[in-house]
Amino acid sequence: MNHPMKEKKLNIRFGLILLIFFLVALLTGIFMFYRDFFPERRISPVSGSIHFGTDSSIVPLAGRLSEMFMAYYTDVEVSVIGQPSDMLVPLCVSGEFQAVLLYGDLLPAESEHVEKQVREFHREYVARDAVVVLINESAQKKMFTLDELRDMFSGRSRSGFTPCIDARDIRFQHLVIDLLGIDSDVLTALPIEGKQAVIDTINADNSMVALMQLSSAAAFVQHSHESSGPVIGRLVLDGSDGKEIYPDQQALYTEDYPLVFPLVYFYRRSHQPSTGFGAWLTGRGQKVFMRSVIAPAHRPDRKIQLVD
């Protein structure tokens, strides 16, 4: 005869076993559901996320680059964030950005930021930009020599023009000093707060002359007789018997235009998506620069297929 207490214990154990199997099956089902519908993003050179910093004036260019990269590699997400140019390298070193787009190479103060972590960061030259002269469309003079620009922006000129520059853009001021070959303590120009304000100043006064990056100026420049806005002056090359040169893409690529500087992609080596973006920028991404007003660092190879 079976003891009733023994049967009761067996029933409880059986019930517990069934409950455990049910919970295991339920948890397995939930895990499979989340795995299928919310897959974990794998980090690789072509997947993951990048916080990509750039100067606020070239956010549109950086946006086109990131959109094209994401079109090639759909598992990567690039967030473009505009910041003052002199903040980009410190923010990348601090970890807020994994990559930044700079015009010009590292400044001495920025190199000091990177010095202790030099192996952690890398930079690629990805395009060629230029310093251009902006003048009012009704200005009597639209051609300048480098010596005239040096004199104007060092306070020695009596040309009748008043030079101005974006006071907020510290990085660009260093570029002007370097490319014109003037001392940092003699750079002389009317300080204007922001690029739009520089453009407004040029439009309002035909005696004003400004320097600006071509990549930034392109949005403001007069492209036809129907449009209004400043125009880009031509440079007369020293010792060229009056030969004029305009900063078009060919002149930037060959560096016949004398005020060319590199666009630099600066990134953290250990961050795989940023490494992948850098490899793309120096390869397929060069086509994006070819379709812009600036020039690629190098022209992409073109494959010609011969058909019998």
Side-chain angles (χ1 to χ4, degrees), residues 49-56 58-70 76-83 88 91-92 95-102 124 126 263-268 271 273-274 277-278 280-281 289:
S49 62
I50 307 171
H51 286 171
F52 182 35
T54 188
D55 183 79
S56 300
I58 54 172
V59 163
L61 172 61
R64 289 196 297 275
L65 292 166
S66 61
E67 287 168 7
M68 287 296 294
F69 182 56
M70 289 187 290
V76 71
E77 181 179 347
V78 184
S79 300
V80 178
I81 305 163
Q83 288 285 347
L88 293 172
L91 287 171
C92 193
E96 186 165 335
F97 297 145
Q98 289 86 44
V100 293
L101 187 64
L102 309 170
E124 300 279 2
V126 296
L263 272 189
V264 175
Y265 177 72
F266 178 79
Y267 65 97
R268 191 176 287 273
H271 188 253
S274 296
F277 194 19
W280 180 86
L281 284 170
F289 296 112

Side-chain angles (χ1 to χ4, degrees), residues 10-190:
L10 288 174
N11 290 335
I12 291 172
R13 289 179 181 174
F14 183 69
L16 286 173
I17 292 171
L18 286 178
L19 179 61
I20 291 170
F21 272 109
F22 172 76
L23 290 174
V24 170
L26 178 63
L27 291 173
T28 302
I30 292 172
F31 172 78
M32 296 293 288
F33 173 83
Y34 275 93
R35 189 191 65 179
D36 293 339
F37 286 89
F38 303 98
E40 183 180 351
R41 177 169 286 180
R42 187 171 61 90
I43 304 299
S44 77
V46 293
S47 64
S49 62
I50 307 171
H51 286 171
F52 182 35
T54 188
D55 183 79
S56 300
S57 66
I58 54 172
V59 163
L61 172 61
R64 289 196 297 275
L65 292 166
S66 61
E67 287 168 7
M68 287 296 294
F69 182 56
M70 289 187 290
Y72 274 101
Y73 303 106
T74 57
D75 288 334
V76 71
E77 181 179 347
V78 184
S79 300
V80 178
I81 305 163
Q83 288 285 347
S85 61
D86 58 320
M87 292 298 297
L88 293 172
V89 171
L91 287 171
C92 193
V93 173
S94 70
E96 186 165 335
F97 297 145
Q98 289 86 44
V100 293
L101 187 64
L102 309 170
Y103 39 82
D105 212 334
L106 294 180
L107 302 176
E110 293 170 341
S111 296
E112 290 178 11
H113 270 287
V114 179
E115 189 174 1
K116 294 180 181 179
Q117 305 178 59
V118 65
R119 294 184 180 179
E120 176 63 16
F121 294 96
H122 189 63
R123 62 189 187 272
E124 300 279 2
Y125 298 145
V126 296
R128 301 162 197 256
D129 203 343
V131 173
V132 296
V133 183
L134 294 180
I135 45 178
N136 188 286
E137 60 180 325
S138 62
Q140 294 183 353
K141 181 179 176 66
K142 294 184 172 69
M143 294 181 295
F144 303 87
T145 66
L146 287 178
D147 283 339
E148 287 175 323
L149 292 179
R150 288 188 192 102
D151 287 345
M152 272 193 278
F153 284 85
S154 57
R156 298 194 303 263
S157 176
R158 297 183 179 179
S159 64
F161 280 100
T162 300
C164 64
I165 200 166
D166 183 359
R168 298 176 184 172
D169 199 338
I170 305 301
R171 171 174 285 278
F172 181 67
Q173 293 170 31
H174 280 277
L175 270 176
V176 169
I177 289 167
D178 184 51
L179 289 171
L180 290 183
I182 60 179
D183 293 332
S184 58
D185 57 347
V186 300
L187 178 63
T188 306
L190 181 66

